Amino acid sequence: MQYRNITRIIGLLIALFSIAMLPPALVALIYGDGGGTAFLRSFVLSLLIGMVFWYPNRHHKEELRNRSGFLIVVLFWVVLGSIGAIPLLLSANPDLSVADSFFESFSALTTTGATVIVGLEQLPKAILFYRHMLQWLGGMGIIVLAVAILPLLGVGGMQLYRAETPGPVKDSKMTPRIAETAKALWYIYLALTGLCASAYWLAGMNLFDAIGHSFSTIAIGGFSSYDASIGHFDSSAINLVCAIFLLISAMNFSLHFTAFSSRGANLKAYLKDTELRFFLLIQLVLVAIVFATLYNTATFDTPEAALDAALFQSVSISTTAGFGTESFASWPLFLPMLLIFSSFIGGCAGSTGGGMKVIRVVLLFLQGSRELKRLVHPKAIYSIRLGSKALSNRVIDAVWGFFSAYALVFVICLVALMATGLDDITAFSATAACLNNLGPGLGEVAAHYGDISDTAKWILLVAMVCGRLEVFTLLVLFTPTFWKS
Amino acid sequence: MQYRNITRIIGLLIALFSIAMLPPALVALIYGDGGGTAFLRSFVLSLLIGMVFWYPNRHHKEELRNRSGFLIVVLFWVVLGSIGAIPLLLSANPDLSVADSFFESFSALTTTGATVIVGLEQLPKAILFYRHMLQWLGGMGIIVLAVAILPLLGVGGMQLYRAETPGPVKDSKMTPRIAETAKALWYIYLALTGLCASAYWLAGMNLFDAIGHSFSTIAIGGFSSYDASIGHFDSSAINLVCAIFLLISAMNFSLHFTAFSSRGANLKAYLKDTELRFFLLIQLVLVAIVFATLYNTATFDTPEAALDAALFQSVSISTTAGFGTESFASWPLFLPMLLIFSSFIGGCAGSTGGGMKVIRVVLLFLQGSRELKRLVHPKAIYSIRLGSKALSNRVIDAVWGFFSAYALVFVICLVALMATGLDDITAFSATAACLNNLGPGLGEVAAHYGDISDTAKWILLVAMVCGRLEVFTLLVLFTPTFWKS
Ligand SMILES: [K+]
Ligand SMILES: [K+]
């Protein structure tokens, strides 16, 4: 393993990440809320830590091998999640324990959006801004990971999106390619954030809220600056803006890239994409079911209110944002469970959304149909096609492997949580909400995660990272094969 | 489609099945419990129905095509389940509604063992015997289906157990082969039942209970003649007999066949079987976890009592028998959920057990491991092996197709049940208990299914048939491809 090179890269990453402590310090200065010192201290501390890792290894630049790629990706999230907890540990308000600080930081950076804090309105603006910003940076990391890195590593069928043949990745080839793709994605991400913030502002948010909420919207993170989340604003205009930008952010960013990088915008790219069509169909069906049920059970006074709630809440949960206008956990019949289940599907691959990704569920469905056809005509050859492309067995195998790992992690996590004493519904929904990077659950974790035990929090933290890294990227580190030279 | 031939076969089947009404009539005669008339009437009625189907089509013997095979298998369970409901409809005690009669009959014949009847002790012996016997006949049907028919039809990866190449099945070849295999299996099934009944009798049951419970044990059905199930006898000897014969019945009957059909018993066949080894490992781990948890939470007074309960209940639920010594639904922490989850794994393929079958879970696990290795060495070729045999992609595809269909049916069933107003835990556990052909659930269906709505009962009845027919056999009938000439 290229340990010194990896340490060098992680050191650089931490040093770079330390800069993220400065904007909240600036916010503290503007609002004079006394939250600044913690961030300045964190800046110095994390810069130092980064230097300690980087300096002794600064000359160890080598070609990166595939395996080092896995280790770097996992360390990226684990190390930055830990560094991100520092300002929360150092702040007097909120006064968080170690477990709570790590939970909140990992929840932000993985764009899960599960919070342990109650009384968000009483926090310094610097902390609120920092939470939003961590989600935004996490979202950016996820896009680069999903569009540029995981396809190269071949995780969970993501090689679908890879042009070249598998094999060790050469630094000389990887770096410029990733850097170039990352830059283009960065512009798209930035542009969407700007548009979203403007739309929120036009819909009536103040500037601070508009920027903060645009961060957590584009990242499909779901953190808000209010305990009542988006419900605080009580505005269907804001709900609509949120839903629209969530839908856009839950699409594959390669699509945005393709559509806007060609000469003039090319919107046909969207219509031709099988995954996107399924995604929109799922959204439509979900909104229809939720609206019909809310309407029939007269949960709201007017049909308009029911439609507003159905649209907003369906999109928010199924894209795994986890924003709320009210507690859907108390909605009638099967609605809470249906929405939690929809988060397993989640967003499209290469988006900031969580869950198992629409493309994998589409493949699951296509494989099921193929088996049915094969039963009737056992001798016929049926291939699985996405658009005009027939998929190789290798990709399909990888997707099934992904499902089996996802199911395994889910069951282990669920049983472990119940062993800590959580009830069925809380344990089930918390596991789903964290593994799918959704955020809010049902039962005890419908509003926040403050009341569960520290052990449960650490288990859920691991689930978040597992979900965000498409399970395999993390699991592979625990195999003997990985560590054999 | 070969409709007249199929009608002929189904007619014959019903006429043959009518004979099953006579033993309960005999039991009624012996015990003088007044339950006999309903069975004599049912005998005449079902014989007549059978004749009506058979007589006009008696000359339509043709080679059976693959597709007709699916239709016959599905009709077999649906028609016999319906005919089996007749004596329950005609009996004055118990006084069951139409929905209840069908539910009880399908639950028996699919060896699910979910009951709607409370107060079993007050029923005529004839009815009690009939319930046990339906399970026993159902179990026999399942063995033949799983060992001889599904492999030919290629459902859900069962072609694993098929020697020849896929293709249309010729009547000339199929009938003698199935008949021969079925006869051998029938002897094994009969011998096991005899052994089990003797063991129960020696352990202290009276003859009626011993025979009845041996029927539902070997069929892994789980019906008892007492509301308290096996707990009624309050005997660890009986518990142990039950657990041992459940373990034997949850093994692949092809193994029993191989082991005893060669000259002299050949027990090595068992040890060499990968699925069986995994099955025993799962049982061991499960009993250990359950015992450790019961012991640590001091749920029982003595360690012996805890071990007795842990062994019996783990085996009973994980093999999908569903017998109980007490309500495991009230056990502490994650135990109820863990046991319900274990029923998803269920028995080995080719056994009377339900669930997804151990072999498929083993393949899931092997595929997951292969993906992890492939991530580290993308260029290496890894095949999935069972023992010394490398599996074809075709088989593995079929298994994944099976999982996707199972998951889809599960979610649809769960949401439908919640739409009828059932709470989360009841809906979840009832779906699992019926789809896995387990029987008892948690919440409202922990003791019996009498209190849920008729709609919920019909939904669960479909789930039972779906589970028993390995989902695909039923699903394929709903595809346009199937009905196109
Ligand atoms: K989220
Ligand atoms: K059963």
Side-chain angles (χ1 to χ4, degrees):
Chain A
M1 201 61 70
Q2 308 164 298
Y3 292 110
R4 298 201 59 171
N5 191 19
I6 293 172
T7 314
R8 178 186 70 86
I9 293 174
I10 295 298
L12 264 180
L13 215 64
I14 298 174
L16 204 68
F17 185 70
S18 71
I19 302 172
M21 306 297 172
L22 297 179
L26 191 69
V27 169
L29 197 70
I30 294 170
Y31 287 92
D33 61 9
T37 4
F39 286 99
L40 288 177
R41 282 185 190 160
S42 302
F43 167 68
V44 175
L45 190 59
S46 44
L47 191 62
L48 276 176
I49 295 175
M51 289 299 174
V52 167
F53 283 134
W54 169 74
Y55 191 78
N57 305 301
R58 67 193 180 284
H59 300 307
H60 283 266
K61 294 189 188 176
E62 317 150 50
E63 289 183 357
L64 269 183
R65 280 193 292 269
N66 224 351
R67 256 188 280 183
S68 309
F70 286 102
L71 203 53
I72 290 173
V73 167
V74 172
L75 284 173
F76 180 93
W77 252 270
V78 173
V79 169
L80 295 196
S82 308
I83 297 285
I86 296 177
L88 299 171
L89 281 165
L90 297 182
S91 291
N93 177 19
D95 186 17
L96 297 181
S97 70
V98 175
D100 281 351
S101 302
F102 273 80
F103 185 91
E104 194 79 8
S105 172
F106 273 85
S107 172
L109 209 67
T110 58
T111 77
T112 306
T115 186
V116 288
I117 305 175
V118 192
L120 291 169
E121 287 84 349
Q122 276 80 53
L123 296 185
K125 295 275 189 202
I127 293 280
L128 292 175
F129 183 80
Y130 178 64
R131 288 167 80 249
H132 284 302
M133 199 193 62
L134 271 188
Q135 291 213 312
W136 192 64
L137 293 174
M140 185 61 220
I142 288 150
I143 295 289
V144 174
L145 184 72
V147 175
I149 301 177
L150 291 187
L152 288 178
L153 297 179
V155 168
M158 289 291 115
Q159 60 268 55
L160 247 178
Y161 297 107
R162 177 174 59 186
E164 63 274 74
T165 51
V169 176
K170 304 230 189 259
D171 199 7
S172 51
K173 219 173 81 194
M174 190 168 168
T175 317
R177 220 178 134 258
I178 292 185
E180 187 192 320
T181 318
K183 211 169 84 182
L185 293 173
W186 175 256
Y187 284 131
I188 294 170
Y189 195 72
L190 203 65
L192 281 177
T193 310
L195 282 174
C196 181
S198 314
Y200 273 140
W201 182 70
L202 288 173
M205 282 192 190
N206 67 36
L207 198 62
F208 180 84
D209 284 347
I211 293 174
H213 285 86
S214 76
F215 280 5
S216 40
T217 302
I218 301 301
I220 314 199
F223 268 160
S224 174
S225 321
Y226 302 95
D227 285 348
S229 188
I230 297 284
H232 166 85
F233 302 102
D234 194 19
S235 149
S236 24
I238 287 177
N239 293 350
L240 192 64
V241 168
C242 185
I244 289 171
F245 278 94
L246 284 178
L247 288 174
I248 295 173
S249 309
M251 296 175 188
N252 192 329
F253 272 62
S254 311
L255 270 185
H256 297 317
F257 181 77
T258 315
F260 289 95
S261 67
S262 52
R263 276 154 293 171
N266 176 10
L267 297 178
K268 270 188 202 154
Y270 291 104
L271 294 174
K272 276 192 292 188
D273 189 62
T274 311
E275 184 184 23
L276 181 61
R277 289 205 301 238
F278 265 87
F279 171 68
L280 295 176
L281 180 69
I282 291 166
Q283 297 297 322
L284 205 67
V285 170
L286 209 56
V287 172
I289 293 176
V290 173
F291 171 68
T293 312
L294 288 178
Y295 182 76
N296 283 325
T297 53
T299 309
F300 289 87
D301 294 335
T302 64
E304 291 77 23
L307 186 62
D308 180 19
L311 176 68
F312 176 78
Q313 210 64 75
S314 300
V315 170
S316 171
I317 302 300
S318 69
T319 60
T320 75
F323 285 119
T325 46
E326 59 164 285
S327 180
F328 76 95
S330 54
W331 278 1
L333 293 172
F334 57 90
L335 291 182
M337 210 41 107
L338 179 73
L339 288 176
I340 292 285
F341 269 113
S342 76
S343 76
F344 278 97
I345 305 177
C348 299
S351 76
T352 48
M356 301 194 294
K357 311 293 177 298
V358 175
I359 186 76
R360 293 205 181 93
V361 177
V362 171
L363 288 180
L364 190 76
F365 178 77
L366 293 178
Q367 168 67 4
S369 317
R370 174 163 76 162
E371 275 312 303
L372 284 171
K373 283 191 228 145
R374 274 178 169 173
L375 284 180
V376 183
H377 302 295
K379 279 179 174 164
I381 308 274
Y382 298 99
S383 58
I384 292 190
R385 297 184 160 277
L386 273 182
S388 58
K389 197 164 63 177
L391 299 187
S392 74
N393 259 314
R394 189 65 194 76
V395 167
I396 295 165
D397 280 357
V399 172
W400 303 126
F402 174 84
F403 278 114
S404 72
Y406 214 81
L408 185 72
V409 169
F410 186 88
V411 171
I412 291 175
C413 195
L414 174 62
V415 170
L417 282 183
M418 292 181 74
T420 73
L422 290 185
D423 67 274
D424 297 327
I425 291 295
T426 304
F428 176 83
S429 62
T431 307
C434 289
L435 189 60
N436 294 339
N437 300 117
L438 163 62
L442 308 172
E444 274 186 69
V445 294
H448 60 84
Y449 286 69
D451 296 336
I452 60 175
S453 72
D454 278 1
T455 317
K457 281 173 195 155
W458 288 111
I459 294 169
L460 289 170
L461 185 153
V462 175
M464 292 176 198
V465 177
C466 243
R468 197 69 281 180
L469 297 182
E470 311 266 325
V471 188
F472 268 110
T473 322
L474 186 61
L475 273 192
V476 77
L477 300 194
F478 294 91
T479 61
T481 322
F482 184 82
W483 298 101
K484 261 182 262 167
S485 66
Chain B
M1 202 60 70
Q2 307 162 297
Y3 292 110
R4 298 201 59 173
N5 192 20
I6 293 171
T7 314
R8 179 185 70 85
I9 292 173
I10 295 297
L12 266 180
L13 215 64
I14 298 175
L16 204 67
F17 186 70
S18 71
I19 302 173
M21 306 297 172
L22 297 179
L26 191 68
V27 169
L29 198 68
I30 295 170
Y31 287 91
D33 60 8
T37 4
F39 285 100
L40 288 176
R41 282 186 191 159
S42 303
F43 166 68
V44 176
L45 189 58
S46 43
L47 191 62
L48 276 176
I49 297 175
M51 288 300 174
V52 167
F53 283 134
W54 169 73
Y55 191 79
N57 306 301
R58 67 193 180 284
H59 300 306
H60 283 268
K61 294 188 187 177
E62 317 150 50
E63 288 184 358
L64 270 182
R65 279 194 292 270
N66 224 350
R67 255 187 281 183
S68 310
F70 286 103
L71 204 53
I72 289 174
V73 168
V74 172
L75 284 174
F76 181 93
W77 253 270
V78 172
V79 169
L80 295 196
S82 309
I83 298 285
I86 296 178
L88 299 172
L89 281 165
L90 296 182
S91 293
N93 175 21
D95 186 19
L96 297 181
S97 69
V98 174
D100 280 352
S101 301
F102 273 80
F103 185 91
E104 195 78 7
S105 172
F106 273 84
S107 173
L109 209 67
T110 58
T111 77
T112 306
T115 185
V116 289
I117 305 176
V118 193
L120 291 170
E121 287 85 348
Q122 276 79 53
L123 295 186
K125 295 275 188 202
I127 293 280
L128 292 176
F129 184 80
Y130 180 63
R131 288 167 79 248
H132 284 303
M133 199 192 60
L134 272 188
Q135 292 214 313
W136 191 64
L137 293 174
M140 186 62 220
I142 288 149
I143 294 290
V144 174
L145 184 72
V147 175
I149 302 176
L150 291 186
L152 289 177
L153 297 178
V155 167
M158 298 314 285
Q159 60 268 57
L160 245 178
Y161 297 108
R162 178 173 56 187
E164 62 274 74
T165 51
V169 176
K170 303 231 190 261
D171 198 8
S172 50
K173 218 172 82 194
M174 189 167 168
T175 317
R177 217 176 138 260
I178 290 185
E180 185 192 321
T181 318
K183 211 169 83 183
L185 293 172
W186 175 254
Y187 284 132
I188 295 170
Y189 195 71
L190 203 64
L192 281 177
T193 309
L195 282 174
C196 181
S198 314
Y200 273 141
W201 183 70
L202 288 173
M205 281 192 190
N206 65 40
L207 198 63
F208 180 83
D209 284 349
I211 294 175
H213 285 85
S214 74
F215 281 3
S216 41
T217 303
I218 301 302
I220 313 200
F223 267 161
S224 175
S225 321
Y226 302 95
D227 285 349
S229 188
I230 298 283
H232 166 84
F233 302 101
D234 195 18
S235 148
S236 23
I238 287 178
N239 293 349
L240 193 64
V241 168
C242 185
I244 289 171
F245 279 93
L246 285 178
L247 288 174
I248 294 174
S249 311
M251 296 176 187
N252 192 330
F253 271 63
S254 311
L255 269 186
H256 297 319
F257 182 76
T258 315
F260 288 96
S261 68
S262 53
R263 277 156 292 169
N266 177 9
L267 297 177
K268 271 188 202 152
Y270 291 104
L271 294 173
K272 277 192 291 190
D273 189 62
T274 312
E275 184 184 23
L276 181 61
R277 289 205 301 241
F278 265 89
F279 170 67
L280 294 176
L281 181 70
I282 291 167
Q283 296 298 321
L284 206 68
V285 170
L286 210 56
V287 172
I289 293 176
V290 173
F291 171 68
T293 313
L294 288 177
Y295 182 75
N296 283 324
T297 53
T299 308
F300 289 87
D301 294 336
T302 64
E304 291 76 25
L307 186 62
D308 181 20
L311 176 70
F312 176 78
Q313 210 64 77
S314 300
V315 170
S316 171
I317 303 299
S318 69
T319 60
T320 75
F323 284 118
T325 45
E326 59 164 287
S327 180
F328 75 94
S330 55
W331 278 1
L333 294 171
F334 57 89
L335 289 183
M337 210 40 108
L338 179 73
L339 287 176
I340 292 284
F341 269 112
S342 77
S343 75
F344 278 97
I345 304 178
C348 299
S351 76
T352 48
M356 300 194 295
K357 312 292 177 298
V358 175
I359 187 76
R360 294 206 180 91
V361 177
V362 171
L363 288 179
L364 188 79
F365 178 78
L366 293 178
Q367 169 66 3
S369 316
R370 174 164 77 163
E371 275 313 301
L372 284 171
K373 285 191 226 145
R374 274 177 169 173
L375 284 179
V376 183
H377 301 296
K379 277 179 176 165
I381 309 273
Y382 297 99
S383 59
I384 292 190
R385 297 184 160 276
L386 273 183
S388 58
K389 197 164 63 177
L391 298 186
S392 74
N393 260 313
R394 188 65 194 72
V395 168
I396 295 164
D397 280 357
V399 173
W400 303 126
F402 174 85
F403 279 113
S404 73
Y406 213 80
L408 185 72
V409 169
F410 187 88
V411 170
I412 290 175
C413 194
L414 174 61
V415 170
L417 282 184
M418 293 181 74
T420 72
L422 290 186
D423 66 273
D424 297 325
I425 290 295
T426 304
F428 175 84
S429 63
T431 307
C434 289
L435 189 60
N436 294 338
N437 300 118
L438 164 62
L442 308 173
E444 274 186 70
V445 294
H448 60 85
Y449 285 69
D451 296 337
I452 60 176
S453 72
D454 278 1
T455 317
K457 281 173 196 154
W458 289 111
I459 294 169
L460 289 171
L461 186 152
V462 175
M464 290 176 201
V465 177
C466 244
R468 198 68 280 180
L469 298 182
E470 311 267 324
V471 189
F472 267 110
T473 322
L474 186 61
L475 273 191
V476 76
L477 301 194
F478 294 91
T479 60
T481 323
F482 183 83
W483 298 101
K484 259 181 261 166
S485 66

